[in-house]
Every structure is written in structure tokens, then in C-alpha cells.
Amino acid sequence: GENVGLHLPTLSVQEGDNSIINCAYSNSASDYFIWYKQESGKGPQFIIDIRSNMDKRQGQRVTVLLNKTVKHLSLQIAATQPGDSAVYFCAEKEGADGLTFGKGTHLIIQP
Amino acid sequence: DGGITQSPKYLFRKEGQNVTLSCEQNLNHDAMYWYRQDPGQGLRLIYYSQIVNDFQKGDIAEGYSVSREKKESFPLTVTSAQKNPTAFYLCASSTGANEKLFFGSGTQLSVL
């Protein structure tokens, strides 16, 4: 079946550096993508989303890039802070179908 | 404040017992969802409801039941038929079917 997955289960970065979290998807018909942040013991929080008619979208300190050719999604976090430590999930959907979630990447911030 | 409230935060179930997880939202969202999260796994959809008095099974509905008598409330019952209920349960809502989801803070269910 179609899957959404992440390349790296754990990513460790130095405080102040930029972080890049990657996500591969296999459904070429997916037209909506979303990133969530989940801290330990809490529910996921929306970070940023992007539709398939866009390649890039920026938020506050975050950027999502979508490469439809290779079916790749990435989340860039600028100037990583300790509060950015969390598990980050990507999710995708096609049309009116439900969201399909990836397993998550654990981002660890080194002081 | 607007949001989704799940209760309790922690819940323990004895063998053969049914337990009910509460989910309330004051966002005026039409759609509500229940997901199950296991360690190292993605979120898996249990049930969802797009309108009051209507709901559909998700990918792993067996052993669970729901009701949607009010727009604001979408309780989930974990029945004794669910043999592996230990997990983190997340409720979510959205303005429309499968649009951006807003999540509650979750309920950790464990078996005694």
C-alpha cells in the first residue's frame, strides 16, 4: 500500500544550527502535506502545511519544501532551540481521503 | 480558551473491563477523530465522525466503539474485545472532513 515514512528516526543537532527533517512519500496523487511537532506525553501540534501546487512555504523559523518529482518533503528549522526537541511527524493525503502519518523523527538538540 | 480536552490523562483497565475515554471540543468543528499511537509507530485511525449522529470505522476499529450524540463530544470506549489496549490515544477535530487536524493532549491507557 501507499506509505509515508521518514529517512531518519533520530536527528541530533547543535543548538543554534539549522535542522532538516526529511520525509518520503509514495502516493504520487497526494495533494496536501502537513508537519506536526509532538513533545513527550502531549498531543501533536500543527507546525506548517503545504499543498501540491506549491514547492515551498515559510513560517516562523520553519520552512517546508516539497519535491514532487522525487516525492520528498522536508522541514527546515532555523536556529534550533532547546524547545525544538520533540518528535516531528509528516502526514499526507489525497483529495478527501484521510491523513496518513509517518512514524516520526526524534529531534535532539545538543547544548 | 478554545481547544480539545481529553480526559483522563492516565487510565488503567482491568481485564474484561470496558473503559471510556472522553473528548470534548469547543472549536465548533464538524469532524472529530480518534487515533491510537504506539511507541515508534505512526498514528493509526480508529474511528472518525464528520457530523453528529454519524461515524465511520477507521483502520483499526475492532475492539472499540464510539458515539457522536453532540457536536462537541466524541467519546471512545475501549471494550474487552480489544486484547492489546495499552497505547496513547489521541482525539482530534477539524473544520471539515480530513482538513488540518487539531489534537488533544492524549490519554495513556494501560492494562492492570
Side-chain angles (χ1 to χ4, degrees), chain A residues 3-51:
Chain A
N3 290 297
V4 173
L6 295 173
H7 293 308
L8 299 173
T10 301
L11 177 64
S12 182
V13 300
Q14 292 289 326
E15 182 179 349
D17 288 350
N18 297 336
S19 301
I20 300 176
I21 302 171
N22 297 304
C23 180
Y25 64 95
S26 57
N27 182 3
S28 57
S30 291
D31 55 12
Y32 177 74
F33 304 86
I34 191 168
W35 281 99
Y36 283 94
K37 171 187 180 183
Q38 185 177 24
E39 296 175 86
S40 181
K42 297 183 179 180
Q45 296 174 282
F46 168 80
I47 301 173
I48 193 167
D49 58 1
I50 188 169
R51 298 198 179 274

Side-chain angles (χ1 to χ4, degrees), chain A residues 32 34 36 38 41-46 49 51 89 93 95-99 101-104, chain B residues 9-10 35 37 40-45 50 88 90 97-106:
Chain A
Y32 177 74
I34 191 168
Y36 283 94
Q38 185 177 24
K42 297 183 179 180
Q45 296 174 282
F46 168 80
D49 58 1
R51 298 198 179 274
F89 294 94
K93 77 179 188 75
D97 290 347
L99 284 168
F101 288 87
K103 295 182 180 180
Chain B
K9 179 70 173 175
Y10 301 96
Y35 287 89
Q37 185 175 35
Q41 300 289 324
L43 302 182
R44 293 185 289 170
L45 183 63
Q50 297 182 9
F88 192 54
L90 287 161
N98 300 314
E99 291 295 317
K100 181 172 67 181
L101 301 181
F102 294 83
F103 285 89
S105 57

Side-chain angles (χ1 to χ4, degrees), chain A residues 29-106:
Chain A
S30 291
D31 55 12
Y32 177 74
F33 304 86
I34 191 168
W35 281 99
Y36 283 94
K37 171 187 180 183
Q38 185 177 24
E39 296 175 86
S40 181
K42 297 183 179 180
Q45 296 174 282
F46 168 80
I47 301 173
I48 193 167
D49 58 1
I50 188 169
R51 298 198 179 274
S52 58
N53 60 353
M54 300 174 68
D55 297 323
K56 178 180 180 179
R57 192 169 186 214
Q58 289 185 294
Q60 186 177 11
R61 274 202 313 119
V62 295
T63 300
V64 57
L65 298 176
L66 176 62
N67 185 331
K68 295 180 287 294
T69 301
V70 295
K71 290 181 285 187
H72 184 266
L73 186 73
S74 69
L75 176 71
Q76 299 179 2
I77 304 174
T80 310
Q81 302 169 358
D84 294 328
S85 290
V87 175
Y88 290 81
F89 294 94
C90 68
E92 52 91 17
K93 77 179 188 75
E94 174 188 355
D97 290 347
L99 284 168
T100 299
F101 288 87
K103 295 182 180 180
T105 291
H106 187 193

Side-chain angles (χ1 to χ4, degrees), chain B residues 34-101:
Chain B
W34 274 105
Y35 287 89
R36 171 179 170 139
Q37 185 175 35
D38 294 281
Q41 300 289 324
L43 302 182
R44 293 185 289 170
L45 183 63
I46 304 173
Y47 268 98
Y48 65 101
S49 168
Q50 297 182 9
I51 196 169
V52 175
N53 291 322
D54 188 42
F55 49 83
Q56 287 79 39
K57 293 182 179 180
D59 300 321
I60 55 166
E62 186 175 352
Y64 300 97
S65 66
V66 294
S67 63
R68 187 85 187 277
E69 297 177 1
K70 299 187 299 181
K71 186 176 184 178
E72 301 80 16
S73 180
F74 191 41
L76 172 74
T77 297
V78 183
T79 75
S80 57
Q82 173 50 246
K83 299 306 180 185
N84 184 25
T86 297
F88 192 54
Y89 290 86
L90 287 161
C91 179
S93 69
S94 67
T95 54
N98 300 314
E99 291 295 317
K100 181 172 67 181
L101 301 181

